[in-house]
Amino acid sequence: MLSTFKQMAHAFGDVVFPPVCVHCGGIVERGKKPDAFRYVCARCEARIEFVAEPCCTTCGHPFYGESAGERVCEHCESLAPVFNEGRTAVLFKGAARSLVHALKYHNACHALRDIETVFKRSPRVLELARGAVLVPVPLHPRKERERGYNQGRLVAECVARAAGGRAAGVRIEMLLRRVSDTVSQTLLDRATRRANLKNAFSPASGARMNAGLKYVIVDDVFTTGSTLNSCAAALRRAGCVNIDVITFGHG
Ligand SMILES: [Zn+2]
Ligand SMILES: [Zn+2]
């Protein structure tokens, strides 16, 4: 009886709010599998580029068709990372990008379900998250008030759930705070961004770091890596030793 009611409620919901693809606006057919996308249509789903090895160990960007050996990734050759390894689930374009944009700029928290689905299909990312303290990149308090939430934290929650949560030794701690208000970072060149970000983060009040634990900084997107590196530097100054990075997308 209950399941019939649920089916009816779902059917009714789909008539009133048909699931529409966040990228192309087309109707999304309800998939049979539990991990089917809900807001990405089959055509756009097929174009999501999941990252596979070989890829850069700093930013996670794939190396296409290159043979093994020493290589310098063009995305982070000037980064000088203070974290160990960075992994990313997908390339930040197409429907993957639209999912994050829906979350960030259109208050579309329903996109989180599909973001979690992407992580569930990214075993290398989940492997890095297991047994770790996930540290979301903090927003400046003013910006978080405006937006009403920190998308980095929501993305970290998706990673935690996809990785198996507490049972997999994953937990989330807001260990950092953003001290400088870096509003229009995207308009600045790389060098200026990096200089601005140098001391942009510090430990949150009451944060306790443990040199024996594994920390993973989580953000929605890896662009230049300077924000993530600045977070890693703040964690390191506060006593963390083992620091990795996970991002949803690279772009
Ligand atoms: Zn679509
Ligand atoms: Zn790289």
Side-chain angles (χ1 to χ4, degrees):
M1 178 62 195
L2 184 65
S3 68
T4 316
F5 176 75
K6 271 189 179 166
Q7 280 165 8
M8 281 171 64
H10 272 304
F12 179 72
D14 283 359
V15 173
V16 183
F17 306 107
V20 169
C21 178
V22 288
H23 189 59
C24 72
I27 299 289
V28 182
E29 299 294 332
R30 178 179 284 275
K32 297 255 186 313
K33 291 180 190 156
D35 67 340
F37 283 105
R38 194 83 176 82
Y39 300 99
V40 178
C41 75
R43 220 166 51 114
C44 293
E45 177 184 340
R47 291 187 188 149
I48 294 179
E49 287 188 48
F50 284 83
V51 171
E53 287 182 298
C55 46
C56 171
T57 54
T58 299
C59 70
H61 195 273
F63 293 119
Y64 298 106
E66 290 171 37
S67 58
E70 274 298 305
R71 30 193 157 192
V72 177
C73 168
E74 58 171 316
H75 301 281
C76 47
E77 57 190 350
S78 60
L79 185 63
V82 293
F83 54 88
N84 306 326
E85 188 171 357
R87 294 187 187 180
T88 191
V90 290
L91 295 190
F92 199 60
K93 57 185 189 180
R97 189 167 186 268
S98 295
L99 280 171
V100 170
H101 274 228
L103 173 66
K104 257 168 118 163
Y105 306 114
H106 305 293
N107 233 329
C109 286
H110 58 266
L112 288 167
R113 188 189 176 283
D114 285 357
I115 289 174
E116 185 179 333
T117 297
V118 168
F119 281 121
K120 279 184 184 155
R121 297 181 189 184
S122 307
R124 290 182 61 258
V125 169
L126 301 182
E127 183 190 313
L128 202 60
R130 293 199 175 102
V133 178
L134 305 185
V135 184
V137 172
L139 288 180
H140 189 270
R142 186 190 54 75
K143 198 164 183 180
E144 186 160 348
R145 267 198 307 278
E146 277 170 17
R147 191 171 286 168
Y149 53 90
N150 171 4
Q151 80 282 351
R153 166 146 202 151
L154 297 177
V155 170
E157 285 169 2
C158 289
V159 174
R161 280 195 300 270
R166 286 243 165 206
V170 188
R171 62 176 200 265
I172 299 172
E173 288 184 16
M174 297 301 295
L175 292 178
L176 296 174
R177 65 191 177 99
R178 198 185 276 257
V179 282
S180 63
D181 195 354
T182 45
V183 189
S184 46
Q185 282 292 315
T186 41
L187 301 173
L188 305 171
D189 62 61
R190 281 188 174 209
T192 319
R193 277 170 80 134
R194 226 161 264 171
N196 272 10
L197 278 165
K198 193 142 188 272
N199 292 305
F201 300 96
S202 67
S205 60
R208 274 204 231 141
M209 321 297 183
N210 181 334
L213 290 179
K214 188 171 104 154
Y215 293 92
V216 177
I217 305 162
V218 181
D219 208 1
D220 49 0
V221 60
F222 194 110
T223 310
T224 61
S226 47
T227 300
L228 289 153
N229 210 27
S230 178
C231 286
L235 286 181
R236 204 167 278 285
R237 283 197 301 272
C240 301
V241 177
N242 191 348
I243 306 165
D244 293 308
V245 161
I246 284 176
T247 49
F248 173 76
H250 188 300

